[in-house]
Amino acid sequence: MWTVYRICTTDNKYEIARLEKKWNHQEELFATLTDTSVYNKRLRPASAKAGEPTIVNTSLSLISMTSFDEIQTEYTMRVLVRHIWIDRRLSFPENCTVTRVTGDNWHAQHIWTPLIFIVNDKNADNLLNTRSGEGNVLLDIHPNGQVLLSRRVNLRLICKMDFWKYPMDKQTCRLELESSILREEEMLLAWAEGEPLALNNNFYLTGFKLVEYTLYSSQAEYWMTGNFSRLLVTFQLEREFGNFLLEIYIPSILFVVTSWTSFWLEIPAAPARVSLGITTLLTLVTSAKSTREKLPKVSYIHALDVWNVGCTAFIFASLIEYAVVNFIYFKEKRRRQGGLKRIESSATLCSLTSENIPKTPLTQVRARSPKLPPKLQINNSDLQQDEFSCKTFTPSHQSPEDNCTFPFFFELPLTPQDIANGLDKKCRVVFPLLFLLFNIIYWLIFYI
């Protein structure tokens, strides 16, 4: 319902033919101002100076920025767009009780309005069209002929995104407004003075943080049709990282750490170690694939690809490590065709007694013993056949009081089992250090 106003009477002595009638409603005033006999809505308003373009001042009020779609490289924006211009054909006396004419979409269709479209809008609609609901448009006409057209619009905007640092990326999205019909010499778009872009009190943004925005004025040059005035606003957006940290990075780190527990399992426990590595590897690959499907198919590698490949490589390396130590551990078993068991590497000749060594002729023992330096050669007469004691192994150049230990080069070589176990122990330290180094390099490059 429209409010009824008292309209100025002929006592004001304004010699204006269209205002001689006594109006009791602003609708009558609006109908008089837009009478087709005196007002042609297809003609743009004349400027104060002849030959100058009509200036349309524009301001924006952001309501929301949501639904960022990486695959379609688009996002949804709800914004309140205001255009202000001067149309002296719509002026009326200031001392009337009607201070301004307020209308909606129906009123806007009866006056001249600038035809402006959003360049990067997928719907490619003008800011004002007859398909909009009446509640989306607000029209104010002031006594001096100033017209304010305000409209709430939902835009589906194209945003050229760069994903090489995804999900720690920063995107630059744009909103471009351009004159649809009138060229730059006929209509000029300009940002309104004061605060041309403001955030609504209930403004909300999902998935990103609005770092800053910048306003531009430019012109669009077309070879066939000429130059058209254009307004641009760029939004610097930073992706919120907390969700990716909880859903991707922390679980993948736990998968890698879990694969390291195989280094503490016994080497003969092949089912446990293999199933542990395979399970973590397949889980990580499946998680990486589901995340990759949410992104467009780009030709370059982004940060998340590097992370997934790195974690997969560490888990795969743990499987390769087990294959190596397993091969070394059972090497002697595959070569052995019977005979004496291999002496453990921790034992020395001094620890051998007649109780724990087989009764083997001395000549065979010497044949299998390592070749010693001349000073350490043991004479057959120094040995007793029924006793293999520490005293009989004492070389001639050592005193009997010396401990029964030989120089380090006389120790028996390591067994394959010792080599495999030692490799497992080293991997318990090497793998975490390498993964820590990988993390330091990764976060320095992509996050900081």
Side-chain angles (χ1 to χ4, degrees):
M1 298 296 294
W2 294 100
T3 304
V4 178
Y5 296 93
R6 293 182 57 194
I7 311 301
C8 55
T9 63
T10 54
D11 296 338
N12 295 321
K13 298 180 181 180
Y14 282 98
E15 300 297 333
I16 304 177
R18 56 179 176 166
L19 295 178
E20 289 180 352
K21 185 179 179 180
K22 296 180 180 180
W23 300 295
N24 58 5
H25 197 277
Q26 72 163 1
E27 292 297 308
E28 298 179 3
L29 174 60
F30 180 79
T32 303
L33 294 174
T34 58
D35 188 5
T36 56
S37 62
V38 295
Y39 186 87
N40 187 355
K41 67 177 184 179
R42 297 184 63 84
L43 296 178
R44 68 179 179 89
S47 58
K49 296 181 180 180
E52 291 188 353
T54 301
I55 299 177
V56 180
N57 294 308
T58 305
S59 62
L60 304 174
S61 177
L62 298 183
I63 301 175
S64 65
M65 297 175 67
T66 57
S67 303
F68 285 86
D69 190 342
E70 285 78 11
I71 296 180
Q72 302 295 333
T73 61
E74 66 180 22
Y75 68 100
T76 301
M77 173 185 289
R78 185 169 178 82
V79 60
L80 182 64
V81 184
R82 299 187 184 94
H83 299 298
I84 300 175
W85 68 92
I86 301 295
D87 191 348
R88 290 178 174 81
R89 298 172 297 177
L90 300 177
S91 61
F92 57 90
E94 295 183 1
N95 58 347
C96 295
T97 55
V98 177
T99 59
R100 63 182 176 183
V101 177
T102 302
D104 57 7
N105 189 39
W106 182 88
H107 296 80
Q109 294 178 7
H110 288 77
I111 66 172
W112 179 91
T113 56
L115 292 178
I116 300 173
F117 74 100
I118 307 298
V119 178
N120 58 328
D121 185 13
K122 285 195 171 183
N123 296 326
D125 289 337
N126 290 325
L127 291 182
L128 183 62
N129 57 67
T130 57
R131 291 181 294 174
S132 303
E134 293 186 359
N136 288 334
V137 176
L138 172 65
L139 178 68
D140 278 343
I141 302 176
H142 296 268
N144 63 347
Q146 176 178 293
V147 182
L148 168 65
L149 178 64
S150 178
R151 181 185 175 215
R152 291 188 298 272
V153 292
N154 293 321
L155 304 175
R156 197 158 60 99
L157 303 174
I158 300 173
C159 180
K160 296 180 180 179
M161 299 183 181
D162 187 5
F163 297 103
W164 82 275
K165 293 186 70 174
Y166 179 89
M168 295 164 284
D169 54 330
K170 296 180 181 180
Q171 303 295 343
T172 300
C173 297
R174 307 175 73 177
L175 173 62
E176 304 180 20
L177 298 83
E178 183 181 314
S179 173
S180 178
I181 297 178
L182 298 179
R183 296 171 177 82
E184 192 174 27
E185 58 270 14
E186 297 172 320
M187 186 181 74
L188 184 64
L189 296 178
W191 290 111
E193 297 181 356
E195 192 176 12
L197 178 62
L199 302 181
N200 191 275
N201 293 333
N202 297 323
F203 172 78
Y204 62 94
L205 175 64
T206 58
F208 287 86
K209 293 186 294 182
L210 181 59
V211 179
E212 62 178 357
Y213 56 85
T214 309
L215 305 176
Y216 300 94
S217 298
S218 65
Q219 66 177 9
E221 299 180 358
Y222 299 97
W223 177 64
M224 295 291 292
T225 56
N227 301 334
F228 295 83
S229 181
R230 178 180 290 188
L231 296 178
L232 300 91
V233 53
T234 59
F235 303 99
Q236 300 293 333
L237 304 173
E238 181 178 352
R239 192 182 300 273
E240 294 181 345
F241 183 67
N243 181 52
F244 295 93
L245 184 65
L246 294 176
E247 292 187 357
I248 298 177
Y249 286 92
I250 291 181
S252 58
I253 291 175
L254 294 179
F255 292 151
V256 175
V257 174
T258 302
S259 68
W260 297 342
T261 57
S262 63
F263 300 146
W264 276 265
L265 298 179
E266 294 292 336
I267 295 178
R273 295 189 64 160
V274 173
S275 60
L276 180 62
I278 293 296
T279 302
T280 53
L281 181 63
L282 294 179
T283 305
L284 182 62
V285 171
T286 304
S287 176
K289 182 180 178 181
S290 62
T291 305
R292 196 67 177 85
E293 292 176 350
K294 300 178 182 178
L295 295 176
K297 297 184 182 300
V298 294
S299 58
Y300 52 86
I301 298 176
H302 51 72
L304 191 58
D305 287 336
V306 176
W307 176 262
N308 289 330
V309 170
C311 293
T312 304
F314 274 95
I315 297 178
F316 183 74
S318 66
L319 289 173
I320 297 299
E321 187 271 346
Y322 176 67
V324 173
V325 297
N326 185 274
F327 178 81
I328 297 175
Y329 189 87
F330 294 103
K331 181 179 180 181
E332 187 69 17
K333 181 179 179 180
R334 290 189 297 270
R335 291 172 49 188
R336 188 182 303 124
Q337 298 296 331
L340 294 177
K341 293 185 178 181
R342 187 80 177 206
I343 302 175
E344 296 294 334
S345 60
S346 58
T348 61
L349 291 179
C350 294
S351 63
L352 302 179
T353 62
S354 57
E355 297 178 358
N356 56 18
I357 189 171
K359 300 301 183 178
T360 306
L362 182 60
T363 55
Q364 296 183 15
V365 173
R366 290 193 59 188
R368 291 195 298 267
S369 300
K371 187 175 181 180
L372 303 179
K375 295 182 178 180
L376 298 180
Q377 295 293 337
I378 304 175
N379 298 325
N380 293 338
S381 59
D382 296 335
L383 300 177
Q384 299 178 3
Q385 296 295 333
D386 59 343
E387 186 179 15
F388 201 33
S389 63
C390 185
K391 180 178 179 181
T392 60
F393 275 84
T394 303
S396 58
H397 72 281
Q398 284 186 306
S399 61
E401 291 80 9
D402 293 341
N403 293 330
C404 186
T405 58
F406 288 90
F408 67 91
F409 51 78
F410 190 67
E411 295 182 358
L412 295 178
L414 296 176
T415 64
Q417 291 78 8
D418 293 330
I419 296 175
N421 289 325
L423 185 59
D424 257 355
K425 292 180 180 180
K426 290 181 174 61
C427 288
R428 297 173 189 174
V429 179
V430 173
F431 270 68
L433 290 179
L434 290 178
F435 190 66
L436 178 61
L437 179 61
F438 168 73
N439 273 266
I440 293 175
I441 297 175
Y442 178 85
W443 297 109
L444 286 177
I445 294 177
F446 293 106
Y447 189 76
I448 298 179

